[in-house]
Amino acid sequence: MKKFNYILLPVVLCVIFTYLTSSQVVQSGLDKENSYGVGVSFGGAVPQTDVLEHKVFPLGRAFFRYYPTSQTAIELGAGLGTLQADDNLRFFSSTIYPVDIRLLIQPIKEGKFAPYAFGGVGLMYFNPVDQNDNPLPRNANKEYSRIVGFFPVGIGGQYYVSDNTAVGLMGTYHYTLTDNL
């Protein structure tokens, strides 16, 4: 497998997610200061690699979110997904296990809608294999670590259907610190 470009994996485009926000202190509909939430997100992982023919596979993530102020949140999350690409000459597939921490900023509140931007840092385990589920040659020779750092960045918006429930749409780009995935 050729060396990857810097930009790699899962661009989670238009991830639709639902989560429940269980507030410790709810003073008004969208005032989230000193509150927390738990939730899940689902989407598709689209690898950007030197193997141009990729497939979109599911990516899921569970998270815990704490709002120290009404406009900022700290989010801890863990996920599970698959990356795969095949151009008839080269093939790889890998299950990925990302774990990250993110800082969310919600600068504007318009009624029940809250747009946000986020950035973070995380670690991801991966183990690429060929079409027969055998490790790729460099992977089998242990030429690199199967745990890599990454930086998730993105934007999104959430709509509160009640004081404790929101639905949203977001896009995430994961910049990895390896060319070996």
Side-chain angles (χ1 to χ4, degrees), residues 46-177:
V46 180
Q48 291 185 344
T49 70
D50 58 349
V51 181
L52 298 178
E53 299 295 323
H54 59 270
K55 296 181 180 178
V56 178
F57 278 86
L59 176 68
R61 184 172 178 269
F63 60 87
F64 172 81
R65 188 180 290 174
Y66 172 68
Y67 289 90
T69 71
S70 63
Q71 294 182 322
T72 60
I74 299 167
E75 185 176 286
L76 298 170
L80 173 65
T82 300
L83 299 178
Q84 184 173 316
D86 182 4
D87 66 3
N88 294 324
L89 298 173
R90 297 168 292 173
F91 174 90
F92 81 92
S93 179
S94 181
T95 301
I96 57 172
Y97 303 92
V99 176
D100 61 48
I101 184 167
R102 300 174 181 187
L103 176 65
L104 283 79
I105 307 293
Q106 293 180 319
I108 306 167
K109 292 185 228 173
E110 292 294 327
K112 293 186 174 198
F113 180 72
Y116 61 88
F118 63 88
V121 63
L123 293 173
M124 179 176 51
Y125 174 83
F126 67 101
N127 187 14
V129 296
D130 64 17
Q131 290 173 320
N132 298 318
D133 280 339
N134 295 319
L136 298 178
R138 293 186 62 229
N139 187 12
N141 293 335
K142 298 184 180 134
E143 294 180 25
Y144 56 84
S145 174
R146 292 184 186 150
I147 298 176
V148 64
F150 72 95
F151 299 102
V153 294
I155 59 171
Q158 55 193 20
Y159 179 80
Y160 285 85
V161 293
S162 73
D163 284 348
N164 293 329
T165 306
V167 294
L169 183 66
M170 73 176 195
T172 303
Y173 182 80
H174 293 84
Y175 177 85
T176 63
L177 301 176

Side-chain angles (χ1 to χ4, degrees), residues 8-66:
L8 191 52
L9 71 114
V11 178
V12 183
L13 297 173
C14 298
V15 178
I16 298 176
F17 65 94
T18 304
Y19 57 89
L20 301 176
T21 306
S22 304
S23 296
Q24 295 172 339
V25 179
V26 178
Q27 297 166 353
S28 66
L30 290 177
D31 187 7
K32 299 179 293 280
E33 188 170 343
N34 289 318
S35 64
Y36 61 91
V38 295
V40 294
S41 64
F42 301 98
V46 180
Q48 291 185 344
T49 70
D50 58 349
V51 181
L52 298 178
E53 299 295 323
H54 59 270
K55 296 181 180 178
V56 178
F57 278 86
L59 176 68
R61 184 172 178 269
F63 60 87
F64 172 81
R65 188 180 290 174
Y66 172 68

